[in-house]
Amino acid sequence: MSFNGTSTHITPPQHPPHSIELPWDRSALPDRILKAVDQAETAEAAHQKARTKKGDNRAAIEDTGQALTDAWNDLVDTAFATAEANQQHHREQYTYAARKLGRALEDAKAAVQLLGTHAHLYDTAANDPARIGIDRRTKNKAVAKLLCLQDELEVLSAVPPIDA
């Protein structure tokens, strides 16, 4: 599991640099936060462009700096104003993902069972063609690995509550 994403840096005039770690999949962010982040990044880029390309145009630098400060303040205000809604958004997404994982584990267990059954039957047919059914004394490596995988799937712990 990787929590690495992308870093974005916002530095309004008269502020220390602010670094924000964003997930690779920005759609994981609530819409209002995402919109405010995008606006702050756009304002940061415009301000940097004004500083490098129009270094002697003080008015342009001040205008883009004020726009950047406004965008930063809007981002912070939005984060504070929507904190409870953001928690609810992430709690709902967590619950959805937990249920999806539960279904995937059940599907994986069923698939491993099916693989094991067919590996057993294949081994029996290959080594004792006159025998019908499963030979429990199989030494087939695929069966052994599938038994281990089945055991591992059985001991996976439940998804912890988000508030834990």
Side-chain angles (χ1 to χ4, degrees):
M1 182 179 321
S2 172
F3 293 108
N4 295 333
T6 58
S7 292
T8 189
H9 304 282
I10 311 290
T11 309
Q14 312 303 317
H15 281 248
H18 302 284
S19 180
I20 303 171
E21 294 294 323
L22 299 170
W24 284 112
D25 180 7
R26 287 182 170 212
S27 68
L29 296 173
D31 291 337
R32 289 181 64 190
I33 295 293
L34 183 57
K35 182 180 176 186
V37 167
D38 288 342
Q39 289 174 342
E41 287 177 325
T42 301
E44 175 71 27
H47 185 61
Q48 291 302 322
K49 184 177 178 182
R51 291 178 64 199
T52 56
K53 295 200 178 215
K54 303 174 184 176
D56 57 343
N57 187 344
R58 190 146 186 86
I61 294 172
E62 288 178 5
D63 287 346
T64 58
Q66 185 58 50
L68 176 56
T69 300
D70 292 344
W72 172 254
N73 290 338
D74 182 57
L75 174 58
V76 172
D77 293 345
T78 300
F80 276 106
T82 61
E84 191 172 315
N86 292 343
Q87 284 181 323
Q88 181 62 28
H89 167 83
H90 295 300
R91 186 178 296 113
E92 289 169 1
Q93 292 302 310
Y94 186 90
T95 301
Y96 172 78
R99 292 180 57 83
K100 191 174 180 179
L101 177 63
R103 285 190 306 277
L105 287 173
E106 291 305 315
D107 289 347
K109 288 175 186 177
V112 168
Q113 177 63 50
L114 192 58
L115 288 166
T117 299
H118 287 289
H120 259 293
L121 290 171
Y122 171 84
D123 186 56
T124 300
N127 294 312
D128 191 0
R131 185 176 174 101
I132 297 172
I134 293 174
D135 180 359
R136 300 213 179 272
R137 297 168 293 148
T138 184
K139 293 186 177 23
N140 184 296
K141 290 181 182 181
V143 172
K145 287 182 180 181
L146 288 167
L147 285 170
C148 290
L149 181 57
Q150 184 180 36
D151 290 344
E152 289 174 18
L153 286 172
E154 290 299 327
V155 298
L156 281 176
S157 62
V159 175
I162 195 168
D163 303 84

